[in-house]
Amino acid sequence: MIKPWLYVPMIVCAPCCIAATAIAPGISVISGVTAPGAQPDGNSIIVEAPQGLIVFDTGRHAAHTQQIVEFAKTAGKPVAAIVNSHWHLDHIGGNAMLRAQYPAARVYASSALEGALAGFLANYRKQLERAIVESEKDSAAQASMRTEIALIDAGPKLAPTVVIEASGRRVIAGRELDVHLEHAAVTAGDVWLLDRKTGVLMAGDLVTLPAPFLDTACPKRWQAALGRLARTNFKLLIPG
């Protein structure tokens, strides 16, 4: 059973409302946005580390990722590392923008994006191309879909520089974290983090509100992964 403390980010309706919320010493959250007629952003978690900032998931839209850049500027610290929970575009879409701003940042993730680019995302791209043609009178919708295509085409700029192949304790940007890898749960490879110092668990889309998203998931393995989360000694869980 999941322990009782669950951080529920506020869902807002416009990118201008995004703000970082401190939820533990040295850890802040930029809540994801759900805007009418647009794809969502996932939550981004920023962890202060000796070598700079660790960003867990980077969002999808430029307005969301720009908030991470502004946070870093205000903190006077570079983004030293990016950790992606999984390859869904609302969690990795900001990678290219952050890497352009902070080229020394290392990107940690599973290897699952490679298969997604050849399979799920390739098919999604074809669907978007067809939808653009069918939406010839809706320029706003076309622009949104072209942005999605551009994200998919940015594949190498979204990919990890450090592939997480197994669970274990790691030092990232000078901060020790428990890094966990789940196989074939939400996606082929899902990463979640535990910061023992604060007891904050960063779950990615292993935990989503108000309901799970099953488009790329294996329910049985997902259930097993949730069992491992429940057995973890955390104080606060942040969903995807």
Side-chain angles (χ1 to χ4, degrees), residues 56-177:
F56 184 77
D57 289 340
T58 60
R60 171 191 245 114
H61 299 103
H64 179 99
T65 310
Q66 183 61 35
Q67 293 297 314
I68 301 172
V69 174
E70 294 303 323
F71 184 101
K73 289 179 178 178
T74 300
K77 296 181 178 182
V79 173
I82 296 166
V83 181
N84 292 133
S85 60
H86 61 295
W87 57 260
H88 288 173
L89 295 179
D90 57 324
H91 295 263
I92 67 170
N95 285 15
M97 182 174 172
L98 287 185
R99 291 171 81 168
Q101 291 276 344
Y102 304 98
R106 306 182 79 184
V107 181
Y108 297 78
S110 77
S111 62
L113 175 61
E114 183 177 356
L117 286 169
F120 186 95
L121 289 175
N123 292 331
Y124 178 40
R125 192 186 191 286
K126 292 177 182 177
Q127 293 172 14
L128 289 168
E129 289 176 335
R130 290 195 296 268
I132 287 173
V133 173
E134 295 167 359
S135 305
E136 58 180 338
K137 295 182 179 180
D138 190 339
S139 59
Q142 287 183 328
S144 177
M145 289 184 280
R146 288 193 177 101
T147 298
E148 287 282 279
I149 289 174
L151 282 180
I152 296 169
D153 291 347
K157 296 179 181 179
L158 308 179
T161 57
V162 180
V163 175
I164 296 172
E165 298 179 334
S167 299
R169 195 172 300 183
R170 286 177 179 252
V171 176
I172 298 176
R175 184 158 182 157
E176 190 173 70
L177 297 166

Side-chain angles (χ1 to χ4, degrees), residues 200-238:
V200 171
L201 191 159
M202 296 160 249
D205 276 4
L206 290 168
V207 178
T208 56
L209 301 171
F213 305 133
L214 293 166
D215 52 348
T216 61
C218 170
K220 185 175 181 179
R221 288 181 178 271
W222 194 347
Q223 185 178 36
L226 287 174
R228 284 184 281 275
L229 292 181
R231 292 190 293 272
T232 300
N233 185 27
F234 66 86
K235 295 180 181 178
L236 184 68
L237 185 149
I238 305 174

